[in-house]
């Protein structure tokens, strides 16, 4: 049973109440961007108090500073004027539960959805899989504070990112909804004023 009819119906309801959101400007009104995980439990609009038009939200598995996330951040400041950035990872992230080696092995075995047991993921498919997974850096996480700090540092040191933009590092706690600062990350992301 597809979710398609539910999504289309929900969208019709949303559009019926769209109102003055049709007048929103393209550049984010509050001038900031958030890089965070795609985890379904995280709703950046709610946890950071965003309305439509307020901020850029860039999401991927883990909220990692991949080349593509940096592409979006560069567009965010260079063309659309954001002035502050957040990198927000979270507790209980799925990216902590496997390594490159594990996901490559699972994909080499089959393209079925793997099962998660007490000792990690295992494959339940019959194949064929593909070795293409060997060519992807999956950017898995072994420690959240380390991953946030590394990602903030990578963005900070990128040649296309100006030193004036402060980058804040946080971990969202899925048990409390709170954003917890990672001081080493925020320190690494501090702006350098001219
Ligand atoms: Zn996650």
């Amino acid at each position: 049973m597809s979710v398609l009819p539910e999504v289309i119906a929900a969208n019709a309801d949303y559009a019926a109440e769209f109102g003055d959101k049709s007048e929103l400007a393209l550049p984010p009104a509050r001038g900031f961007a958030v890089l965070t995980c795609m985890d379904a439990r995280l709703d950046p609009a709610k946890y950071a108090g965003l309305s439509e038009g307020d901020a850029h939200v860039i999401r991927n598995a883990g909220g990692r500073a991949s080349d593509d996330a940096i592409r979006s951040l560069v567009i965010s400041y260079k063309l659309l004027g954001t002035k502050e950035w957040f990198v927000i990872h979270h507790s209980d992230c799925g990216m902590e539960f496997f390594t490159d080696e594990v996901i490559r092995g699972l994909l080499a075995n089959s393209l079925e959805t793997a099962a998660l047991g007490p000792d990690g993921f295992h494959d339940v498919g019959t194949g064929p899989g593909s070795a293409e997974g060997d060519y992807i850096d999956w950017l898995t996480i072994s420690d959240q504070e380390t991953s946030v700090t590394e990602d903030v540092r990578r963005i900070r040191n990128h040649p296309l990112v100006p030193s004036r933009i402060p980058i804040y590092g946080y971990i969202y706690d899925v048990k409390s909804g709170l954003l917890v600062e990672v001081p080493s990350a925020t320190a690494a992301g501090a702006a350098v004023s001219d």
Side-chain angles (χ1 to χ4, degrees), residues 32-36 44 47-48 50 55-59 73 85-86 88:
F32 71 100
V34 176
L35 170 60
T36 196
Y47 76 53
L50 308 178
H56 285 145
V57 178
I58 300 149
R59 302 187 72 165
L73 287 168
W85 296 344
F86 293 77
I88 302 175

Side-chain angles (χ1 to χ4, degrees), residues 37-39 41-42 60-63 90-95 141 144:
C37 185
M38 68 182 190
D39 191 297
R41 295 167 293 182
L42 276 58
N60 63 32
H90 66 99
S91 61
D92 197 40
C93 185
M95 298 297 281
I141 291 172
Q144 292 291 341

Side-chain angles (χ1 to χ4, degrees), residues 28 50 72 75 91 163 165 168 193-194:
L50 308 178
S72 295
I75 291 167
S91 61
S163 58
I165 296 179
Y168 315 119
S193 50
D194 321 300

Side-chain angles (χ1 to χ4, degrees), residues 110-124:
S110 86
L111 304 185
E112 296 298 318
T113 297
L116 180 58
D119 49 358
F121 287 100
H122 60 273
D123 206 64
V124 294

Side-chain angles (χ1 to χ4, degrees), residues 2-192:
S2 170
V3 298
L4 180 59
E6 293 170 18
V7 170
I8 299 305
N11 177 251
D13 291 345
Y14 179 74
E17 305 288 326
F18 204 59
D20 59 8
K21 286 194 281 288
S22 63
E23 308 300 322
L24 287 170
L26 170 60
R30 293 172 62 199
F32 71 100
V34 176
L35 170 60
T36 196
C37 185
M38 68 182 190
D39 191 297
R41 295 167 293 182
L42 276 58
D43 185 341
K46 290 179 180 163
Y47 76 53
L50 308 178
S51 296
E52 291 91 336
D54 275 356
H56 285 145
V57 178
I58 300 149
R59 302 187 72 165
N60 63 32
R64 302 306 312 267
S66 61
D67 289 349
D68 194 64
I70 290 174
R71 176 185 71 89
S72 295
L73 287 168
V74 169
I75 291 167
S76 177
Y77 91 82
K78 185 67 182 176
L79 303 182
L80 295 164
T82 58
K83 293 177 167 58
E84 298 175 88
W85 296 344
F86 293 77
V87 175
I88 302 175
H89 295 180
H90 66 99
S91 61
D92 197 40
C93 185
M95 298 297 281
E96 297 170 74
F97 303 149
F98 65 97
T99 61
D100 277 353
E101 189 182 8
V102 166
I103 191 168
R104 287 170 181 163
L106 293 168
L107 287 165
N109 204 52
S110 86
L111 304 185
E112 296 298 318
T113 297
L116 180 58
D119 49 358
F121 287 100
H122 60 273
D123 206 64
V124 294
T126 52
S130 169
E132 277 294 319
D134 292 357
Y135 299 91
I136 294 176
D137 183 343
W138 297 91
L139 301 174
T140 59
I141 291 172
S142 58
D143 175 79
Q144 292 291 341
E145 293 196 10
T146 303
S147 64
V148 174
T149 305
E150 284 177 357
D151 284 1
V152 167
R153 187 174 291 126
R154 178 167 197 236
I155 297 165
R156 169 82 296 144
N157 292 333
H158 197 281
L160 296 177
V161 172
S163 58
R164 67 178 179 274
I165 296 179
I167 309 162
Y168 315 119
Y170 279 80
I171 294 173
Y172 173 87
D173 183 343
V174 298
K175 298 300 181 194
S176 68
L178 284 172
L179 291 173
V180 180
E181 188 174 23
V182 179
S184 57
T186 297
V192 180

